[in-house]
Amino acid sequence: MINKHPKRSDEPVWWGLFGAGGSWFAMITPVTIFVLGILVPLGIIDANAMSYERVSAFVKTIIGALFVIATIALPMWHAMHRVHHGMHDLKLHTGVAGKVAAYFIAAFFSGLAVVFVFMV
């Protein structure tokens, strides 16, 4: 028999942030590391292009601010969702407290990213 009054779940929100964070971390982070960790030190990209003034000016634009916030926040949501479900897999059933703690940490660091981006 079909339940005509199913209980609402908040899991789609957390799975959406998990998926967005995993996708960002898999596609954008390697390119960022390649550019900042390999191309700039090898001199392929001019080091002056990564000067504090230019990077600060980039972060002050809406695209730059969103990029920096997403680079910090989305992988954090992905990681904390993994931690939350990983604890369950390890038979550490923390219940709602573990869920709240994991997602609070992700929200806290996301908030810090927003605060620090707009303080620049």
Side-chain angles (χ1 to χ4, degrees):
M1 177 178 259
I2 296 175
N3 183 1
K4 294 185 181 187
H5 303 289
K7 181 182 170 194
R8 290 195 172 249
S9 173
D10 60 351
E11 278 298 310
V13 174
W14 310 126
W15 280 101
L17 288 167
F18 170 77
S23 297
W24 187 276
F25 197 72
M27 292 186 278
I28 305 299
T29 302
V31 174
T32 305
I33 291 171
F34 180 67
V35 169
L36 298 177
I38 296 173
L39 296 181
V40 173
L42 288 177
I44 297 170
I45 294 178
D46 186 25
N48 291 331
M50 295 294 156
S51 69
Y52 176 79
E53 292 78 20
R54 290 195 64 181
V55 172
S56 179
F58 172 68
V59 172
K60 288 179 183 175
T61 67
I62 189 69
I63 298 295
L66 291 175
F67 179 82
V68 171
I69 291 167
T71 298
I72 295 168
L74 290 177
M76 180 59 70
W77 283 100
H78 177 83
M80 294 316 298
H81 189 77
R82 275 202 184 275
V83 167
H84 170 62
H85 284 282
M87 289 187 329
H88 181 76
D89 293 342
L90 294 171
K91 308 290 188 232
L92 299 172
H93 302 291
T94 57
V96 175
K99 181 178 186 177
V100 169
Y103 297 140
F104 173 79
I105 291 169
F108 178 75
F109 281 103
S110 298
L112 278 179
V114 171
V115 168
F116 287 134
V117 161
F118 290 112
M119 283 180 55
V120 170

Short mmCIF file of all heavy atoms in Angstrom, two decimals, residues 76-120:
data_model
loop_
_atom_site.label_atom_id
_atom_site.label_comp_id
_atom_site.label_asym_id
_atom_site.label_seq_id
_atom_site.Cartn_x
_atom_site.Cartn_y
_atom_site.Cartn_z
N MET A 76 33.76 21.66 1.60
CA MET A 76 33.54 21.45 3.03
C MET A 76 32.20 20.73 3.26
O MET A 76 32.11 19.82 4.09
CB MET A 76 33.55 22.79 3.77
CG MET A 76 33.33 22.67 5.25
SD MET A 76 34.54 21.64 6.10
CE MET A 76 35.97 22.66 6.00
N TRP A 77 31.15 21.13 2.54
CA TRP A 77 29.87 20.44 2.66
C TRP A 77 30.00 18.98 2.22
O TRP A 77 29.45 18.08 2.84
CB TRP A 77 28.79 21.14 1.84
CG TRP A 77 28.29 22.38 2.49
CD1 TRP A 77 28.65 23.65 2.20
CD2 TRP A 77 27.35 22.45 3.57
NE1 TRP A 77 27.99 24.52 3.04
CE2 TRP A 77 27.18 23.82 3.89
CE3 TRP A 77 26.64 21.51 4.30
CZ2 TRP A 77 26.34 24.25 4.90
CZ3 TRP A 77 25.79 21.94 5.30
CH2 TRP A 77 25.64 23.29 5.60
N HIS A 78 30.75 18.76 1.15
CA HIS A 78 30.98 17.40 0.66
C HIS A 78 31.69 16.57 1.73
O HIS A 78 31.27 15.45 2.04
CB HIS A 78 31.82 17.46 -0.62
CG HIS A 78 32.17 16.12 -1.17
ND1 HIS A 78 31.31 15.41 -1.96
CD2 HIS A 78 33.29 15.37 -1.06
CE1 HIS A 78 31.88 14.27 -2.31
NE2 HIS A 78 33.08 14.23 -1.77
N ALA A 79 32.75 17.13 2.29
CA ALA A 79 33.54 16.40 3.29
C ALA A 79 32.73 16.10 4.54
O ALA A 79 32.78 14.98 5.07
CB ALA A 79 34.79 17.20 3.64
N MET A 80 31.98 17.06 5.02
CA MET A 80 31.23 16.84 6.25
C MET A 80 30.07 15.87 6.04
O MET A 80 29.71 15.13 6.96
CB MET A 80 30.76 18.17 6.84
CG MET A 80 31.90 19.06 7.31
SD MET A 80 33.21 18.22 8.26
CE MET A 80 32.33 17.63 9.67
N HIS A 81 29.51 15.85 4.85
CA HIS A 81 28.48 14.86 4.56
C HIS A 81 29.10 13.46 4.56
O HIS A 81 28.52 12.52 5.09
CB HIS A 81 27.83 15.16 3.20
CG HIS A 81 26.63 14.33 2.90
ND1 HIS A 81 25.41 14.59 3.47
CD2 HIS A 81 26.46 13.25 2.12
CE1 HIS A 81 24.53 13.70 3.03
NE2 HIS A 81 25.15 12.88 2.20
N ARG A 82 30.32 13.36 3.99
CA ARG A 82 31.03 12.08 4.02
C ARG A 82 31.35 11.65 5.45
O ARG A 82 31.24 10.48 5.79
CB ARG A 82 32.33 12.17 3.23
CG ARG A 82 32.16 11.92 1.78
CD ARG A 82 33.50 11.50 1.18
NE ARG A 82 33.37 11.34 -0.23
CZ ARG A 82 32.93 10.23 -0.81
NH1 ARG A 82 32.60 9.19 -0.08
NH2 ARG A 82 32.84 10.16 -2.11
N VAL A 83 31.78 12.60 6.28
CA VAL A 83 32.08 12.29 7.68
C VAL A 83 30.82 11.80 8.38
O VAL A 83 30.86 10.79 9.10
CB VAL A 83 32.68 13.53 8.40
CG1 VAL A 83 32.70 13.34 9.90
CG2 VAL A 83 34.08 13.82 7.88
N HIS A 84 29.73 12.50 8.17
CA HIS A 84 28.46 12.12 8.81
C HIS A 84 28.06 10.69 8.44
O HIS A 84 27.74 9.87 9.31
CB HIS A 84 27.36 13.12 8.42
CG HIS A 84 26.00 12.70 8.82
ND1 HIS A 84 25.63 12.51 10.13
CD2 HIS A 84 24.90 12.42 8.07
CE1 HIS A 84 24.36 12.14 10.18
NE2 HIS A 84 23.89 12.08 8.94
N HIS A 85 28.09 10.38 7.16
CA HIS A 85 27.69 9.03 6.74
C HIS A 85 28.79 8.01 7.00
O HIS A 85 28.50 6.83 7.20
CB HIS A 85 27.26 9.04 5.27
CG HIS A 85 25.91 9.64 5.09
ND1 HIS A 85 24.76 8.95 5.35
CD2 HIS A 85 25.52 10.88 4.72
CE1 HIS A 85 23.71 9.72 5.13
NE2 HIS A 85 24.15 10.91 4.75
N GLY A 86 30.04 8.45 7.01
CA GLY A 86 31.14 7.55 7.34
C GLY A 86 31.09 7.08 8.78
O GLY A 86 31.42 5.92 9.09
N MET A 87 30.67 7.97 9.68
CA MET A 87 30.53 7.57 11.09
C MET A 87 29.47 6.47 11.22
O MET A 87 29.64 5.53 11.99
CB MET A 87 30.16 8.77 11.95
CG MET A 87 31.29 9.75 12.12
SD MET A 87 31.01 11.10 13.28
CE MET A 87 29.30 11.45 13.23
N HIS A 88 28.42 6.59 10.45
CA HIS A 88 27.38 5.57 10.47
C HIS A 88 27.93 4.24 9.95
O HIS A 88 27.65 3.18 10.51
CB HIS A 88 26.18 6.02 9.62
CG HIS A 88 25.07 5.04 9.61
ND1 HIS A 88 24.21 4.86 10.67
CD2 HIS A 88 24.67 4.15 8.65
CE1 HIS A 88 23.34 3.91 10.37
NE2 HIS A 88 23.60 3.47 9.16
N ASP A 89 28.73 4.30 8.88
CA ASP A 89 29.33 3.09 8.33
C ASP A 89 30.29 2.43 9.31
O ASP A 89 30.48 1.22 9.29
CB ASP A 89 30.06 3.40 7.02
CG ASP A 89 29.13 3.81 5.91
OD1 ASP A 89 27.91 3.53 6.03
OD2 ASP A 89 29.60 4.41 4.93
N LEU A 90 30.92 3.24 10.16
CA LEU A 90 31.85 2.71 11.17
C LEU A 90 31.14 2.30 12.45
O LEU A 90 31.77 2.05 13.47
CB LEU A 90 32.93 3.75 11.48
CG LEU A 90 33.89 4.07 10.33
CD1 LEU A 90 34.77 5.25 10.68
CD2 LEU A 90 34.72 2.84 9.99
N LYS A 91 29.82 2.27 12.39
CA LYS A 91 28.97 1.89 13.52
C LYS A 91 29.05 2.88 14.68
O LYS A 91 28.86 2.53 15.83
CB LYS A 91 29.33 0.47 14.03
CG LYS A 91 29.34 -0.59 12.97
CD LYS A 91 27.95 -0.89 12.48
CE LYS A 91 28.01 -2.10 11.56
NZ LYS A 91 27.38 -1.90 10.30
N LEU A 92 29.35 4.14 14.36
CA LEU A 92 29.30 5.22 15.34
C LEU A 92 28.00 5.97 15.11
O LEU A 92 27.95 6.95 14.39
CB LEU A 92 30.50 6.16 15.18
CG LEU A 92 31.88 5.53 15.37
CD1 LEU A 92 32.96 6.50 14.99
CD2 LEU A 92 32.04 5.06 16.80
N HIS A 93 26.94 5.48 15.70
CA HIS A 93 25.62 6.05 15.47
C HIS A 93 25.41 7.23 16.41
O HIS A 93 25.05 7.07 17.57
CB HIS A 93 24.55 4.98 15.68
CG HIS A 93 24.73 3.80 14.78
ND1 HIS A 93 24.54 3.86 13.42
CD2 HIS A 93 25.14 2.54 15.03
CE1 HIS A 93 24.79 2.69 12.88
NE2 HIS A 93 25.16 1.86 13.83
N THR A 94 25.69 8.41 15.89
CA THR A 94 25.59 9.62 16.71
C THR A 94 24.22 10.27 16.62
O THR A 94 23.96 11.23 17.34
CB THR A 94 26.67 10.63 16.30
OG1 THR A 94 26.52 10.90 14.90
CG2 THR A 94 28.06 10.09 16.57
N GLY A 95 23.39 9.79 15.73
CA GLY A 95 22.04 10.30 15.61
C GLY A 95 21.99 11.74 15.14
O GLY A 95 22.83 12.20 14.35
N VAL A 96 21.02 12.46 15.65
CA VAL A 96 20.80 13.85 15.23
C VAL A 96 21.96 14.74 15.67
O VAL A 96 22.34 15.67 14.96
CB VAL A 96 19.46 14.37 15.79
CG1 VAL A 96 19.26 15.83 15.46
CG2 VAL A 96 18.31 13.55 15.24
N ALA A 97 22.57 14.44 16.81
CA ALA A 97 23.69 15.27 17.29
C ALA A 97 24.86 15.22 16.32
O ALA A 97 25.49 16.26 16.04
CB ALA A 97 24.13 14.80 18.67
N GLY A 98 25.16 14.06 15.79
CA GLY A 98 26.25 13.94 14.81
C GLY A 98 25.94 14.68 13.52
O GLY A 98 26.80 15.32 12.93
N LYS A 99 24.69 14.58 13.11
CA LYS A 99 24.26 15.27 11.89
C LYS A 99 24.36 16.78 12.08
O LYS A 99 24.91 17.48 11.23
CB LYS A 99 22.82 14.87 11.57
CG LYS A 99 22.26 15.47 10.32
CD LYS A 99 20.84 14.94 10.11
CE LYS A 99 20.27 15.39 8.80
NZ LYS A 99 18.94 14.83 8.56
N VAL A 100 23.85 17.27 13.20
CA VAL A 100 23.90 18.70 13.48
C VAL A 100 25.34 19.18 13.58
O VAL A 100 25.71 20.23 13.04
CB VAL A 100 23.10 19.03 14.77
CG1 VAL A 100 23.36 20.45 15.22
CG2 VAL A 100 21.63 18.79 14.54
N ALA A 101 26.19 18.40 14.25
CA ALA A 101 27.60 18.79 14.39
C ALA A 101 28.30 18.86 13.04
O ALA A 101 29.02 19.82 12.74
CB ALA A 101 28.32 17.82 15.32
N ALA A 102 28.10 17.84 12.21
CA ALA A 102 28.76 17.81 10.90
C ALA A 102 28.33 18.98 10.03
O ALA A 102 29.16 19.69 9.45
CB ALA A 102 28.46 16.49 10.19
N TYR A 103 27.03 19.21 9.97
CA TYR A 103 26.55 20.28 9.10
C TYR A 103 26.78 21.66 9.70
O TYR A 103 26.92 22.63 8.96
CB TYR A 103 25.08 20.05 8.74
CG TYR A 103 24.90 18.77 7.94
CD1 TYR A 103 23.83 17.93 8.17
CD2 TYR A 103 25.82 18.39 6.97
CE1 TYR A 103 23.67 16.75 7.45
CE2 TYR A 103 25.68 17.22 6.26
CZ TYR A 103 24.60 16.41 6.50
OH TYR A 103 24.46 15.26 5.79
N PHE A 104 26.87 21.75 11.02
CA PHE A 104 27.23 23.02 11.65
C PHE A 104 28.67 23.39 11.28
O PHE A 104 28.95 24.56 10.98
CB PHE A 104 27.10 22.95 13.17
CG PHE A 104 27.62 24.19 13.85
CD1 PHE A 104 26.85 25.34 13.89
CD2 PHE A 104 28.88 24.21 14.42
CE1 PHE A 104 27.33 26.50 14.50
CE2 PHE A 104 29.37 25.35 15.03
CZ PHE A 104 28.60 26.50 15.06
N ILE A 105 29.57 22.42 11.30
CA ILE A 105 30.97 22.70 10.93
C ILE A 105 31.04 23.20 9.49
O ILE A 105 31.73 24.17 9.19
CB ILE A 105 31.84 21.44 11.15
CG1 ILE A 105 31.96 21.16 12.64
CG2 ILE A 105 33.21 21.61 10.51
CD1 ILE A 105 32.57 19.80 12.96
N ALA A 106 30.31 22.54 8.58
CA ALA A 106 30.30 22.97 7.18
C ALA A 106 29.72 24.37 7.05
O ALA A 106 30.27 25.22 6.33
CB ALA A 106 29.52 21.98 6.34
N ALA A 107 28.64 24.65 7.76
CA ALA A 107 28.02 25.97 7.70
C ALA A 107 28.94 27.03 8.31
O ALA A 107 29.03 28.15 7.79
CB ALA A 107 26.67 25.96 8.42
N PHE A 108 29.62 26.67 9.40
CA PHE A 108 30.53 27.61 10.05
C PHE A 108 31.66 28.02 9.10
O PHE A 108 31.95 29.22 8.94
CB PHE A 108 31.10 26.98 11.33
CG PHE A 108 32.09 27.84 12.04
CD1 PHE A 108 31.66 28.95 12.76
CD2 PHE A 108 33.45 27.56 11.99
CE1 PHE A 108 32.56 29.76 13.43
CE2 PHE A 108 34.35 28.36 12.65
CZ PHE A 108 33.92 29.47 13.36
N PHE A 109 32.30 27.05 8.46
CA PHE A 109 33.39 27.39 7.55
C PHE A 109 32.89 28.08 6.28
O PHE A 109 33.60 28.92 5.72
CB PHE A 109 34.22 26.14 7.21
CG PHE A 109 35.18 25.78 8.30
CD1 PHE A 109 34.91 24.73 9.15
CD2 PHE A 109 36.33 26.51 8.51
CE1 PHE A 109 35.77 24.40 10.17
CE2 PHE A 109 37.20 26.19 9.53
CZ PHE A 109 36.92 25.13 10.37
N SER A 110 31.69 27.77 5.86
CA SER A 110 31.10 28.49 4.73
C SER A 110 30.87 29.95 5.12
O SER A 110 31.14 30.86 4.34
CB SER A 110 29.78 27.85 4.31
OG SER A 110 29.99 26.53 3.88
N GLY A 111 30.37 30.16 6.31
CA GLY A 111 30.17 31.53 6.81
C GLY A 111 31.48 32.28 6.95
O GLY A 111 31.56 33.46 6.60
N LEU A 112 32.51 31.59 7.44
CA LEU A 112 33.83 32.23 7.53
C LEU A 112 34.34 32.63 6.15
O LEU A 112 34.94 33.70 5.99
CB LEU A 112 34.84 31.29 8.18
CG LEU A 112 34.85 31.22 9.69
CD1 LEU A 112 35.90 30.22 10.17
CD2 LEU A 112 35.09 32.57 10.31
N ALA A 113 34.12 31.77 5.16
CA ALA A 113 34.54 32.10 3.80
C ALA A 113 33.86 33.36 3.30
O ALA A 113 34.50 34.25 2.73
CB ALA A 113 34.24 30.93 2.85
N VAL A 114 32.57 33.46 3.56
CA VAL A 114 31.83 34.65 3.14
C VAL A 114 32.35 35.88 3.86
O VAL A 114 32.60 36.93 3.25
CB VAL A 114 30.31 34.46 3.39
CG1 VAL A 114 29.56 35.76 3.18
CG2 VAL A 114 29.76 33.36 2.51
N VAL A 115 32.53 35.79 5.17
CA VAL A 115 33.01 36.92 5.96
C VAL A 115 34.39 37.38 5.49
O VAL A 115 34.62 38.57 5.26
CB VAL A 115 33.04 36.57 7.47
CG1 VAL A 115 33.81 37.62 8.26
CG2 VAL A 115 31.63 36.44 7.99
N PHE A 116 35.30 36.44 5.31
CA PHE A 116 36.66 36.81 4.92
C PHE A 116 36.73 37.34 3.49
O PHE A 116 37.54 38.23 3.21
CB PHE A 116 37.63 35.64 5.11
CG PHE A 116 37.95 35.38 6.55
CD1 PHE A 116 37.94 34.09 7.04
CD2 PHE A 116 38.25 36.41 7.41
CE1 PHE A 116 38.24 33.85 8.37
CE2 PHE A 116 38.54 36.20 8.75
CZ PHE A 116 38.54 34.90 9.23
N VAL A 117 35.89 36.83 2.60
CA VAL A 117 35.89 37.35 1.24
C VAL A 117 35.42 38.80 1.22
O VAL A 117 35.97 39.64 0.51
CB VAL A 117 35.02 36.47 0.31
CG1 VAL A 117 34.64 37.20 -0.96
CG2 VAL A 117 35.77 35.19 -0.03
N PHE A 118 34.41 39.11 2.01
CA PHE A 118 33.91 40.47 2.00
C PHE A 118 34.70 41.41 2.90
O PHE A 118 34.46 42.63 2.87
CB PHE A 118 32.42 40.48 2.35
CG PHE A 118 31.59 39.90 1.24
CD1 PHE A 118 30.92 38.71 1.40
CD2 PHE A 118 31.52 40.53 0.01
CE1 PHE A 118 30.18 38.16 0.37
CE2 PHE A 118 30.79 40.01 -1.04
CZ PHE A 118 30.12 38.81 -0.85
N MET A 119 35.65 40.89 3.65
CA MET A 119 36.55 41.75 4.45
C MET A 119 37.74 42.23 3.60
O MET A 119 38.39 43.18 4.00
CB MET A 119 37.07 41.00 5.67
CG MET A 119 36.04 40.89 6.77
SD MET A 119 36.64 40.00 8.21
CE MET A 119 38.13 40.89 8.64
N VAL A 120 38.01 41.56 2.50
CA VAL A 120 39.17 41.90 1.66
C VAL A 120 39.00 43.27 1.06
O VAL A 120 38.00 43.69 0.64
CB VAL A 120 39.39 40.84 0.57
CG1 VAL A 120 40.41 41.29 -0.44
CG2 VAL A 120 39.79 39.53 1.19
#
